[in-house]
Amino acid sequence: MLLNFINVTLVFSIGLLLMNVVAWVISRRTKWFLLTSLIELLVIYLALYVQMPPKNLTTLLNINLFLAIGAAVINFIGNVGLSAVDKIRDLGQENNHKHARNVNVPAKEGHFLRRYTVVAIVPILLWIIVGATAFVTKITSIDNVYESIPTQTKRSAELLTSAKDMPIALAPDTAKRKMQQKFSVIPNSNMYELDGITAQTVNGEYVYVATVEFNGFFKWLKNKYVPGYFIISATDVNAQPRFVKERLKYTTSAYLNDDAARKIYAKAPTYASTGRMNLEIDDQGVPYYVQTLYREYGVSGRMKFNEFKTAVLNAQTGDVQIYDANKAPKFIDAPITSSAANQMNEFYGRYQKGWWNQTSLGAKRDVKVPTDNGIYSGGQITPLIDSKGHLVYFTDFTSGNNDQDSALGYSLVDARTGHLTYYRDTRSGLMDSDGAISIADKIYPEKKWQAHMPILYNIDGTPTWVVSLLDTKGIFKKYVYINAIDNDIVIDGDNAQESLDDYRKDLADSGSNNRSTDPKTQKTFTGKVSRVALVNDGKTTIVNFMIDGQPTVFKIDADSNPTVVFLKTGDDVSFKANILDQAKIATIDDITIKDLK
């Protein structure tokens, strides 16, 4: 780590060393150059060790130029002082005190000061130029930075095929509260505290992992390691946390060389970090701290969204490895943390039409604002697992107009690749997450339950908000399904699968346009009809039927196939449908009835 920090120090001290070399070339005071350079480098080393300033290009340039100016001032003062000492020495020991006040700067030193003044002006001018360039580049780089976001646009989301694909049921605060109730299982628990919490998959299970950290400097000095971490299921509302005894020597609350942030900072001298570190666990239970790294676009202060790196620190050995984000070890679920995804969403929503468009004087055409109903990054991100088992970050966008509850679309950012997929169905208006929360909050007003973690799913072709209701203590109570197009269709339930089945039934009964015939997952069914029931609400006729060997109730609107009203028990039929996770109800578009002329 010492060598790594020396490397970081040299990166920040290039300007200072150049000024000192110039001073040495002009004055030829070798001892002065060596002594001041060593002292300055030592001071800078200590300052960097304590402060760890950002390592983006703008900060590196500014600090280098600032230190170059400081070195110039020190060299001015030092050479004047040394000149006085030389003059006093020349006057002789006897007249030292008598003539010291009348010492004049020798001609050669006056020559040094004149030449060095010209040189010292250079970093000042460069500082001004860098500041002006940064101001201009911050605006002119917007299009290039926007183009660095790897994106694609889709009209509708993937089908929710199972309640097993539901979002997390436990809010982070709920999980942490459960962990705090179990905190006494830790020996000398008063010396530690619960800190960050991260959603991830461990051995195929979606879980929360929370770090146990030192409760102050003297606690660290006494123990030197934390005894382990907590883990709890993120989807089982009845789950209890488990404390895993794995010693962590390098943590975010440790000090000096045991500080995890300092270890990563020293290892990557030319990359800046974004967001907080996450604790991730491999399938053997070994803990690692993960930090997202990036490079700046020029001196714009803006990150490149297609060049993320990931630092992975073994919390037990202190070994740090730097990877391209998409090449990080497989057990790392979020090589790109939520902070980077949040900035990507902000930029994607704001700057699609450039800088001027999003200002108060611009038209704000296609400007989208991320909502703040998530659980990460100040409430703008919610993590979930997609159908491929990848961790993604969900965010929905609105217009920013407080009088509107319409969603302009939503995004999923892949936590490994940084790829942003934007979903926008222009055929129908969708309610945004603010509207979904408002509806869910009013279901049980007397209980004062609150809606959290809204996620927009495609259920049988219908955009649907799935919201979790939590009580005042943050304990999960119910799932709520809200049709994002027809807000009158609202279902709540205690069980994920039963709630999903009830919601599908309401969709079918309402005559909604949902269909269980997505071509990606549909199957062909043939069989003999065992039960038939016709339901007429005065507007349309819905035919409900079952076939031998299938527990599912199939529904079809007579408007889509008028001959279906003649369906009877014993008929042989053929049709296509999706049976999603053994759903109790499936709605179909068409049916063939054998021998019906």
Side-chain angles (χ1 to χ4, degrees):
M1 187 169 176
L2 174 64
L3 293 177
N4 288 335
F5 249 103
I6 289 175
N7 189 21
V8 174
T9 302
L10 292 176
V11 170
F12 276 99
S13 305
I14 295 173
L16 177 144
L17 292 175
L18 286 175
M19 290 304 296
N20 284 352
V21 168
V22 171
W24 173 75
V25 170
I26 297 175
S27 67
R28 294 295 176 177
R29 296 184 183 275
T30 303
K31 292 182 179 179
W32 168 259
F33 165 71
L34 292 176
L35 181 61
T36 54
S37 295
L38 288 174
I39 293 175
E40 288 164 349
L41 288 174
L42 178 60
V43 172
I44 294 169
Y45 179 96
L46 294 174
L48 293 174
Y49 187 85
V50 174
Q51 296 295 327
M52 295 188 289
K55 291 174 292 185
N56 57 348
L57 183 58
T58 301
T59 303
L60 285 171
L61 287 174
N62 283 329
I63 290 181
N64 268 282
L65 293 172
F66 174 78
L67 293 177
I69 295 170
V73 173
I74 292 173
N75 287 329
F76 270 123
I77 297 173
N79 274 276
V80 170
L82 290 173
S83 299
V85 171
D86 291 343
K87 182 64 176 178
I88 292 172
R89 186 182 296 112
D90 292 342
L91 291 176
Q93 190 69 29
E94 293 182 1
N95 298 320
N96 275 351
H97 300 291
K98 180 178 179 181
H99 298 286
R101 294 181 181 178
N102 300 318
V103 172
N104 294 320
V105 177
K108 65 176 183 179
E109 294 304 329
H111 179 63
F112 163 81
L113 295 177
R114 285 193 297 273
R115 295 178 62 185
Y116 197 63
T117 299
V118 176
V119 174
I121 291 174
V122 173
I124 297 176
L125 293 176
L126 288 175
W127 203 355
I128 296 173
I129 292 172
V130 169
T133 303
F135 176 79
V136 174
T137 306
K138 190 170 186 178
I139 297 174
T140 59
S141 66
I142 282 176
D143 288 343
N144 290 328
V145 174
Y146 183 88
E147 291 299 324
S148 75
I149 303 175
T151 64
Q152 65 174 333
T153 301
K154 293 185 177 181
R155 192 165 69 174
S156 61
E158 295 183 26
L159 211 63
L160 178 65
T161 59
S162 168
K164 297 176 182 177
D165 298 331
M166 293 291 293
I168 55 180
L170 290 181
D173 289 344
T174 304
K176 290 182 73 171
R177 186 173 292 107
K178 287 189 174 186
M179 293 172 183
Q180 287 168 339
Q181 292 171 352
K182 299 285 186 178
F183 216 69
S184 60
V185 302
I186 304 174
N188 299 310
S189 59
N190 63 305
M191 305 183 78
Y192 306 99
E193 62 184 1
L194 203 62
D195 193 43
I197 189 166
T198 307
Q200 57 197 272
T201 55
V202 178
N203 290 313
E205 183 184 2
Y206 198 19
V207 299
Y208 280 123
V209 174
T211 59
V212 174
E213 300 290 352
F214 296 107
N215 189 15
F217 174 78
F218 292 104
K219 306 296 192 303
W220 166 78
L221 197 62
K222 176 70 175 177
N223 293 313
K224 290 295 186 179
Y225 67 88
V226 295
Y229 55 85
F230 279 101
I231 186 169
I232 186 174
S233 170
T235 57
D236 183 358
V237 296
N238 298 313
Q240 292 299 316
R242 178 170 56 92
F243 182 71
V244 180
K245 294 182 179 180
E246 287 280 352
R247 288 188 175 188
L248 285 76
K249 176 177 174 60
Y250 301 92
T251 72
T252 57
S253 62
Y255 292 83
L256 303 179
N257 288 350
D258 290 353
D259 182 2
R262 187 167 284 117
K263 292 283 291 186
I264 291 176
Y265 185 89
K267 185 69 174 181
T270 59
Y271 282 89
S273 61
T274 179
R276 64 173 297 157
M277 286 184 291
N278 291 337
L279 184 70
E280 294 218 30
I281 311 301
D282 68 11
D283 288 342
Q284 287 71 47
V286 178
Y288 294 82
Y289 277 100
V290 179
Q291 176 76 68
T292 300
L293 308 175
Y294 73 95
R295 275 186 173 160
E296 180 183 8
Y297 186 88
V299 289
S300 64
R302 306 186 188 280
M303 67 171 62
K304 291 182 179 180
F305 292 112
N306 57 353
E307 292 189 19
F308 288 115
K309 295 280 187 178
T310 300
V312 181
L313 164 68
N314 187 311
Q316 296 177 329
T317 67
D319 178 60
V320 180
Q321 298 294 328
I322 308 296
Y323 303 92
D324 291 335
N326 61 352
K327 296 181 180 179
K330 290 184 178 180
F331 73 86
I332 302 295
D333 290 296
I336 299 173
T337 54
S338 59
S339 173
N342 183 50
Q343 293 184 60
M344 190 182 300
N345 279 319
E346 290 277 2
F347 208 92
Y348 179 80
R350 185 179 296 274
Y351 294 112
Q352 185 174 354
K353 299 295 183 181
W355 173 77
W356 179 257
N357 177 67
Q358 57 85 43
T359 66
S360 58
L361 299 177
K364 294 192 175 184
R365 181 185 178 190
D366 293 330
V367 170
K368 302 177 285 290
V369 180
T371 61
D372 55 358
N373 297 315
I375 60 174
Y376 278 178
S377 294
Q380 293 187 326
I381 294 286
T382 296
L384 64 146
I385 302 297
D386 68 8
S387 59
K388 298 178 182 178
H390 298 163
L391 183 71
V392 294
Y393 300 117
F394 170 88
T395 302
D396 71 308
F397 294 84
T398 186
S399 66
N401 187 332
N402 293 332
D403 294 330
Q404 298 179 9
D405 282 334
S406 179
L408 299 180
Y410 68 95
S411 72
L412 295 178
V413 178
D414 192 301
R416 176 169 292 272
T417 65
H419 194 281
L420 186 153
T421 302
Y422 181 68
Y423 296 91
R424 171 63 167 154
D425 189 343
T426 58
R427 297 169 301 175
S428 56
L430 302 180
M431 176 177 57
D432 64 14
S433 59
D434 288 327
I437 285 178
S438 176
I439 290 174
D441 278 341
K442 297 174 182 177
I443 296 178
Y444 297 99
E446 73 284 358
K447 298 180 181 295
K448 298 182 180 180
W449 291 349
Q450 295 183 338
H452 289 270
M453 301 178 292
I455 302 289
L456 190 65
Y457 280 101
N458 175 355
I459 298 179
D460 295 352
T462 301
T464 303
W465 285 106
V466 182
V467 185
S468 296
L469 277 182
L470 310 180
D471 68 11
T472 55
K473 295 182 179 180
I475 298 174
F476 175 87
K477 291 300 180 182
K478 287 181 179 293
Y479 287 109
V480 180
Y481 288 73
I482 306 171
N483 190 317
I485 299 175
D486 182 359
N487 308 153
D488 291 332
I489 303 178
V490 180
I491 289 293
D492 67 276
D494 303 324
N495 177 276
Q497 185 61 58
E498 290 180 1
S499 302
L500 181 57
D501 290 336
D502 290 343
Y503 177 72
R504 284 182 171 134
K505 181 178 182 299
D506 265 30
L507 285 179
D509 291 344
S510 67
S512 172
N513 291 326
N514 74 297
R515 293 292 181 264
S516 300
T517 52
D518 190 287
K520 295 180 181 179
T521 55
Q522 66 183 5
K523 297 179 181 179
T524 299
F525 292 86
T526 59
K528 190 178 296 291
V529 175
S530 60
R531 295 285 190 277
V532 180
L534 276 67
V535 178
N536 190 303
D537 62 0
K539 297 180 180 179
T540 185
T541 299
I542 301 295
V543 178
N544 302 270
F545 68 94
M546 300 177 69
I547 62 176
D548 290 339
Q550 278 291 341
T552 304
V553 175
F554 298 98
K555 290 175 172 282
I556 182 169
D557 189 338
D559 290 340
S560 64
N561 188 332
T563 61
V564 76
V565 296
F566 301 108
L567 185 67
K568 65 180 184 298
T569 301
D571 282 345
D572 291 316
V573 295
S574 176
F575 56 91
K576 292 182 178 181
N578 292 320
I579 302 299
L580 305 176
D581 197 37
Q582 297 182 347
K584 295 179 181 179
I585 298 172
T587 305
I588 63 176
D589 288 316
D590 198 9
I591 188 171
T592 299
I593 306 173
K594 187 178 179 181
D595 297 329
L596 183 64
K597 302 297 184 181

